[in-house]
């Protein structure tokens, strides 16, 4: 599966300014942020290195090139970025094959967006091979468009993935609601000019001018998302 422009248009309820919903994947829809860290710990242990728990906050939510590059530099491990990327993706795929828990409220929210024909995209820093593996469990039919981290020249924290998703759905980024769980993803969404709903997964994130923080997706529904746009007027 590759990023494609869907024939969805921007159908919304009368009077609603919400044009599209763009969702992160790891830690937002699926409870996998811990999986990545566990795999990183295991891979570096096999290389003879112990990862410092404090580094977890550095690598969470980032593109693999940044996270893996940081860990190589921090540990001095004798491995190339390309070699480490393969090991991490292989280890992560094994983990998700064993278990792939959805975040509380994720299935209900996706079903509600689909029922009201809200254009929806999945925007992840994970590679395409990982996204396609996970989509089978989330439900690929919920998304008109998916954007992978290895399909854009600049991934999160740059705005490019969210700008691409908004354009693909025919939506104004300022009228898109983004749902994210990490500071890296939030930075990308805000740089794209989107309204952001934050459900922090690993590290706390403070509210901001275009940022609403909640404790769970169970607090988020279509009425909530449309309300964010109403507040902009």
């Amino acid at each position: 599966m590759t990023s494609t422009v869907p024939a969805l248009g921007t159908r919304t309820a009368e009077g609603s300014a919400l044009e599209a919903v763009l969702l992160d994947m790891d830690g937002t829809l699926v409870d996998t942020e811990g999986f990545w860290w566990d795999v990183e710990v295991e891979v570096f242990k096999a290389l003879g290195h112990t990862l410092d728990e404090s580094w977890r906050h550095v690598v969470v939510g980032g593109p693999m090139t940044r996270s893996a590059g940081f860990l190589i530099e921090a540990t001095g491990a004798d491995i190339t970025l390309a070699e480490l990327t393969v090991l991490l993706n292989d280890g992560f795929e094994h983990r998700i094959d064993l278990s792939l828990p959805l975040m509380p409220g994720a299935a209900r929210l996706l079903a509600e967006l689909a029922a009201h024909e809200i254009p929806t995209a999945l925007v992840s820093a994970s590679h395409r091979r990982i996204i396609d593996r996970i989509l089978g469990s989330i439900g690929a039919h919920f998304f008109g468009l998916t954007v992978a981290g290895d399909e854009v020249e600049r991934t999160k924290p740059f705005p490019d993935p969210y700008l691409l998703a908004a354009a693909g759905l025919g939506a104004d980024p300022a009228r898109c609601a983004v749902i994210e769980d990490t500071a890296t993803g939030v930075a990308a969404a805000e740089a794209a000019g989107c309204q952001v709903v934050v459900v922090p997964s690993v590290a706390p994130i403070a509210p901001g001018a275009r940022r609403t923080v909640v404790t769970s997706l169970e607090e988020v529904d279509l009425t909530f998302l449309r309300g964010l746009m109403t507040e902009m007027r």
Side-chain angles (χ1 to χ4, degrees):
M1 181 181 295
T2 58
S3 296
T4 55
V5 177
L8 283 179
T10 56
R11 291 169 291 182
T12 57
E14 184 177 354
S16 172
L18 177 67
E19 295 184 1
V21 177
L22 316 176
L23 301 108
D24 173 55
M25 185 177 73
D26 293 301
T28 299
L29 291 177
V30 288
D31 191 9
T32 52
E33 287 292 7
F35 286 13
W36 281 113
W37 178 250
D38 290 344
V39 170
E40 288 160 350
V41 168
E42 290 174 1
V43 167
F44 276 89
K45 182 178 180 180
L47 294 172
H49 298 275
T50 300
L51 299 189
D52 191 307
E53 182 68 24
S54 66
W55 296 344
R56 181 172 184 173
H57 298 294
V58 179
V59 301
V60 65
M64 184 172 291
T65 51
R66 189 199 74 185
S67 301
F70 168 82
L71 292 174
I72 290 174
E73 183 176 355
T75 61
D78 184 20
I79 189 171
T80 67
L81 183 60
E83 291 169 337
L84 180 57
T85 296
V86 171
L87 292 177
L88 293 177
N89 275 325
D90 287 348
F92 185 77
E93 286 189 12
H94 176 68
R95 283 297 182 101
I96 62 178
D97 284 345
L98 296 176
S99 174
L100 186 58
L102 293 180
M103 298 299 287
R108 186 265 313 152
L109 177 60
L110 290 173
E112 182 181 14
L113 295 174
H116 288 84
E117 299 184 306
I118 302 297
T120 303
L122 183 71
V123 183
S124 176
S126 290
H127 289 187
R128 170 57 57 186
R129 61 181 281 194
I130 298 298
I131 289 180
D132 287 349
R133 196 74 165 249
I134 290 179
L135 276 175
S137 296
I138 300 176
H141 60 284
F142 287 123
F143 306 101
L145 175 71
T146 62
V147 178
D150 56 341
E151 295 174 342
V152 289
E153 184 175 347
R154 303 188 307 172
T155 188
K156 304 172 186 179
F158 294 98
D160 306 35
Y162 281 114
L163 292 175
L164 177 63
L169 295 177
D172 177 356
R175 297 296 176 182
C176 291
V178 168
I179 304 179
E180 272 282 359
D181 72 304
T182 67
T184 299
V186 170
E190 290 184 333
C194 304
Q195 287 285 330
V196 189
V197 177
V198 189
V199 192
S201 61
V202 176
I205 299 175
R210 301 180 64 87
R211 183 191 315 165
T212 302
V213 179
V214 298
T215 59
S216 168
L217 282 181
E218 293 182 320
E219 299 176 41
V220 181
D221 58 16
L222 187 51
T223 298
F224 177 92
L225 296 174
R226 284 177 170 154
L228 297 178
M229 302 301 156
T230 302
E231 294 172 3
M232 292 173 55
R233 298 175 181 175

